[in-house]
Amino acid sequence: MTITPSVPDVEHAVRADGPVLRVVVVNGSPSRPSKTMGLVDVVLDTLRGMLPVETSRIDVYGLGPGFTGAIERDDVTPEVEAALRLAEEADLLIAAAPVFRGSYPGMFKHFFDLVEQYALANKPVLLAATGGGDHHALVLEHAMRPLFAFFQALTVPVAIFANGGDFDGTTLLNPRVYGRIETGLADVADLLRARAARAGG
């Protein structure tokens, strides 16, 4: 079932047959379609095989001038405020971005500049990134994980990276990346089930 988005560039999909884990993807790619979202789609499909989920996606490059022109949280439009709250209230946050000049894109960082400082404390966050070559995988540990450490988030130990050669267009083909996704999610499956049950209770 698809739910009509309530904020710009936020997509929702639901599978509901038990306690539902609310998963929010913050997509830092300016491209549509993109390899970054091709990678995230595999993550979400794998997660759906483990437990019931409700998924939402925030495309930061589509949030408009109410987002790009905001310096502080008080400056955002109601629609952007709703997107920020969606991310803050997730049971699992998937932070996904392409590597651009050695780090995540500025719009991706700007979104988290507007997130409340303690809103992500103790929240599971899965890190995902794509880049032209394997050396870009360093962004996960040297840029993305420190960002969420500031928020005191619980970053999933296994982060997910795929390079350009792992795809046919935007379709992920590399079985090793599939295996890493399965391992990363299996490591935290019990934690995610507990969060879904607590949220549903």
Side-chain angles (χ1 to χ4, degrees), residues 101-181:
R101 296 191 175 180
S103 188
Y104 38 67
M107 288 298 179
F108 177 83
K109 176 60 161 58
H110 184 54
F111 184 85
F112 289 100
D113 285 343
L114 298 172
V115 167
E116 294 291 343
Q117 181 171 349
Y118 299 108
L120 305 183
N122 298 315
K123 185 184 300 297
V125 177
L126 177 69
L127 307 177
T130 56
D134 285 341
H135 59 288
H136 286 137
L138 292 171
V139 73
L140 291 165
E141 304 302 329
H142 292 277
M144 294 180 76
R145 205 177 294 276
L147 171 63
F148 291 98
F150 166 80
F151 286 106
Q152 301 176 38
L154 295 175
T155 53
V156 174
V158 176
I160 312 300
F161 177 82
N163 68 43
D166 295 328
F167 294 88
D168 178 6
T170 59
T171 301
L172 181 66
L173 298 180
N174 191 330
R176 288 181 298 174
V177 181
Y178 276 82
R180 188 166 179 83
I181 291 168

Side-chain angles (χ1 to χ4, degrees), residues 15-21 51-53 192-193 195-201:
R15 172 192 156 196
D17 49 2
V20 176
L21 184 80
L51 71 165
V53 296
L192 298 180
R193 289 189 188 96
R195 290 187 71 90
R198 187 161 61 245

Side-chain angles (χ1 to χ4, degrees), residues 7 11 35 44 46 60 67 82 86 96 99 105 114 121 161 180 184-185:
V7 297
E11 296 184 358
K35 291 180 175 65
L44 293 175
T46 304
V60 298
F67 167 67
L86 185 68
V99 180
L114 298 172
F161 177 82
R180 188 166 179 83
L185 292 176

